[in-house]
Amino acid sequence: MTSIAKVIRLRLGAKLFLIILLANTLLAGVMLYANNQAFTQSFEAYLSQVQSRRLAPLLDSLADEYRAQGGWAWIGEQPERWRGLNRRFLWPRHNRHDDRDQRRLLPLFQLRDARGELIWGEPTPDRRTAWLPIEVDGERVGELGVPVNLRLTSEFDQLFAEQQRRQFLGIALMALLLAAAVALPFAHRLTRPIARLQLATRQLAEGHFDVSLTQRGSDELAELAQDFNRLARRLKDNLSARQRWIADISHELRTPVSVLRAELEALQDGISEPTPETLTSLHQEICRLGGLIDDLHELSLSDAGALSYQMVPVDLGELIDQICAHSRSALQQRHIELSWRPPEQPIVISGDPRRLSQLLSNLMQNTLNYTDGRSEQPGHLHIALVPRADAVELNWSDSAPGVPEAELPRLFDRLYRVEGSRNRATGGSGLGLSIVQNVVHAHGGTLAAQASPLGGVAIVIRFPREGLA
């Protein structure tokens, strides 16, 4: 069955063609049936009028015979006279009906007197009969019964009816041929963008991310082409980002490993002695390498959705107090002055205390790594926590050096550092703000980087108001 299904499988263009053709066939069939019914009814009405005109002289003649004979007894006594009247008024000399037709049609007529007693013909209860009155001096003396389906038509009438039906059928066939002629190019034109999309999708699957579809019109196919182009650009960007990501990771890992190798080889070769300073340098490089590996692990867990968040009411002001207290010594060593005033009322949100502490620690480490501070000209860190109408806003702002405005949106990219003053020489891994972004998004918040009034960078984080306790 599967092989048979593959053999008879139709392409989309053929399916569209058959659907359009089938719809037009049904439409033509309905129109043919409706026209045929309308013609039949109209022709029957016409024939009824013709029949009435033909029978009017016969009714008058029967009335005259009734008056002359004094009743209907003459019909039984002189049946040939009855037949003669019918032949004279129903079949003129120019009519081609022969005697056989007359003998076939005459028994179909019935005649009854004023009391309703049948004088001529046989009762036919299963046939509908129209009774036409016969009147003499305004008094009904009898009725002539004619079957309603009896057609006293000439061959010309029958030929005309047949010609009309053949014309209806011919028109329907012409309509079907015209529908097929229109449906074939229409189906081809409709499926042409789909074929281009199919080819482009195959090229995209083979890794050709530069493929692009031309957008024509504003229908769903044009929107699909636009979505495809957006997907191709996104895949191309992701590929570039992955390549940069791998290169940056390799570089970040290579730097501490190279330092460690050089130090260890110097110790092995006897060039340097295992002094406390040498061991301290090795330990710093190992710590740097371990911190980078830990950050990469955190990001991988966050991307995979494996980081667990246990949401509980958290006083965000208290968490900031704790981070500031733990970092006070490091801030003093870097000559950075802290400006932080705890809110008068607790500001409680729904969040994970451990992840929020990690977020705040990464912000603090970012400030320690990238803010210039000297004893004669200290740096500055300003922290503000403000409840808004629909959110709680955390503003983390430090002093110079700053970041060019065009580079601000990229601060949350992984392993991204601004060239110049804020570079890897200061010791950051380039992953701290990426982790901050993941934690904020996990709490349903938003964040943005902007120029700080202090000359550095301001990180503005907004947690949703519905998280307030």
Side-chain angles (χ1 to χ4, degrees):
M1 292 297 292
T2 304
S3 59
I4 296 177
K6 290 182 179 179
V7 172
I8 65 175
R9 185 178 59 183
L10 298 177
R11 298 185 66 84
L12 182 59
K15 292 180 180 178
L16 287 174
F17 172 76
L18 291 178
I19 289 174
I20 297 173
L21 187 61
L22 177 60
N24 283 276
T25 302
L26 293 176
L27 179 61
V30 171
M31 293 180 61
L32 178 63
Y33 175 78
N35 288 331
N36 186 62
Q37 290 294 109
F39 171 76
T40 300
Q41 293 177 1
S42 301
F43 196 62
E44 285 182 352
Y46 161 75
L47 294 180
S48 297
Q49 294 177 359
V50 172
Q51 180 173 283
S52 299
R53 289 196 299 267
R54 287 184 177 179
L55 291 178
L58 176 60
L59 295 175
D60 294 339
S61 297
L62 289 175
D64 293 341
E65 290 292 336
Y66 179 88
R67 184 185 296 107
Q69 300 293 335
W72 298 112
W74 62 274
I75 293 180
E77 297 171 355
Q78 306 176 30
E80 289 299 325
R81 189 178 182 86
W82 161 257
R83 295 188 180 93
L85 286 174
N86 284 276
R87 282 193 294 269
R88 181 169 47 152
F89 290 103
L90 298 179
W91 292 280
R93 293 180 180 179
H94 65 272
N95 198 292
R96 298 182 180 179
H97 287 286
D98 53 19
D99 293 339
R100 183 177 56 187
D101 294 333
Q102 298 176 21
R103 290 192 298 270
R104 177 176 59 84
L105 294 175
L106 278 176
L108 298 178
F109 290 95
Q110 302 179 46
L111 182 64
R112 63 187 182 187
D113 57 18
R115 297 188 302 271
E117 296 180 0
L118 194 64
I119 300 173
W120 178 267
E122 299 179 357
T124 54
D126 57 339
R127 182 186 298 124
R128 292 186 303 163
T129 303
W131 293 96
L132 307 178
I134 303 173
E135 297 180 352
V136 176
D137 300 330
E139 180 183 357
R140 178 174 295 189
V141 297
E143 293 177 330
L144 180 65
V146 181
V148 296
N149 60 349
L150 179 62
R151 290 289 174 261
L152 303 178
T153 61
S154 63
E155 292 184 0
F156 176 78
D157 295 332
Q158 297 176 0
L159 180 62
F160 173 75
E162 292 298 326
Q163 287 178 346
Q164 291 298 312
R165 291 187 175 92
R166 285 197 296 269
Q167 288 179 1
F168 289 152
L169 182 59
I171 292 173
L173 292 177
M174 288 295 296
L176 288 180
L177 292 177
L178 181 61
V182 173
L184 188 60
F186 177 76
H188 176 70
R189 181 178 179 85
L190 188 61
T191 56
R192 189 185 307 165
I194 301 177
R196 289 197 297 264
L197 177 62
Q198 183 183 23
L199 177 61
T201 304
R202 291 176 180 172
Q203 294 175 347
L204 190 65
E206 293 172 358
H208 303 289
F209 299 115
D210 293 329
V211 64
S212 178
L213 292 175
T214 303
Q215 302 176 27
R216 297 186 178 93
S218 58
D219 56 5
E220 288 81 357
L221 290 176
E223 293 178 357
L224 183 59
Q226 183 179 2
D227 293 339
F228 176 85
N229 292 338
R230 188 181 299 111
L231 173 63
R233 290 193 298 269
R234 182 64 59 84
L235 290 176
K236 183 179 180 180
D237 293 342
N238 288 343
L239 177 62
S240 300
R242 186 180 65 180
Q243 292 173 345
R244 291 196 307 270
W245 169 248
I246 294 175
D248 290 343
I249 290 177
S250 300
H251 181 77
E252 293 293 334
L253 292 175
R254 186 183 299 113
T255 301
V257 170
S258 299
V259 174
L260 287 173
R261 178 185 299 168
E263 293 284 353
L264 291 174
E265 289 177 352
L267 290 174
Q268 289 176 343
D269 296 338
I271 298 175
S272 61
E273 297 293 332
T275 61
E277 291 78 9
T278 303
L279 296 178
T280 300
S281 175
L282 292 174
H283 182 264
Q284 289 176 350
E285 294 300 328
I286 291 175
C287 290
R288 179 182 176 186
L289 184 60
L292 177 60
I293 293 174
D294 290 340
D295 288 345
L296 289 172
H297 180 66
E298 288 285 340
L299 281 176
S300 64
L301 291 179
S302 179
D303 290 341
L307 284 181
S308 60
Y309 287 82
Q310 299 179 355
M311 302 298 186
V312 296
V314 179
D315 186 348
L316 196 55
E318 183 179 349
L319 282 184
I320 297 175
D321 259 343
Q322 295 175 2
I323 295 299
C324 291
H326 294 161
S327 306
R328 197 169 302 277
S329 176
L331 290 170
Q332 290 176 355
Q333 292 178 4
R334 300 292 180 91
H335 304 287
I336 299 175
E337 295 181 354
L338 174 63
S339 174
W340 156 247
R341 179 178 297 178
E344 297 180 358
Q345 299 292 333
I347 297 180
V348 181
I349 67 170
S350 178
D352 187 317
R354 186 163 63 92
R355 300 301 175 190
L356 290 174
S357 296
Q358 182 183 21
L359 178 151
L360 297 172
S361 297
N362 285 355
L363 290 178
M364 183 63 73
Q365 193 62 44
N366 185 73
T367 296
L368 292 172
N369 289 336
Y370 299 116
T371 302
D372 291 341
R374 297 184 297 274
S375 58
E376 64 277 8
Q377 187 177 358
H380 298 276
L381 170 62
H382 176 74
I383 304 174
L385 185 63
V386 182
R388 303 292 184 185
D390 58 346
V392 173
E393 183 176 289
L394 171 62
N395 192 305
W396 194 285
S397 180
D398 58 28
S399 58
V403 173
E405 185 176 356
E407 304 290 338
L408 287 173
R410 299 193 59 189
L411 287 181
F412 303 103
D413 293 349
R414 299 170 185 183
L415 297 176
Y416 177 78
R417 297 185 187 85
V418 181
E419 296 300 327
S421 55
R422 286 178 177 257
N423 54 35
R424 63 175 46 90
T426 56
S429 68
L431 297 174
L433 293 183
S434 297
I435 296 176
V436 168
Q437 183 182 50
N438 285 4
V439 174
V440 170
H441 288 169
H443 284 78
T446 60
L447 79 167
Q450 59 191 33
S452 169
L454 301 177
V457 176
I459 307 295
V460 180
I461 301 175
R462 295 171 65 90
F463 293 102
R465 183 72 180 182
E466 57 266 21
L468 292 176

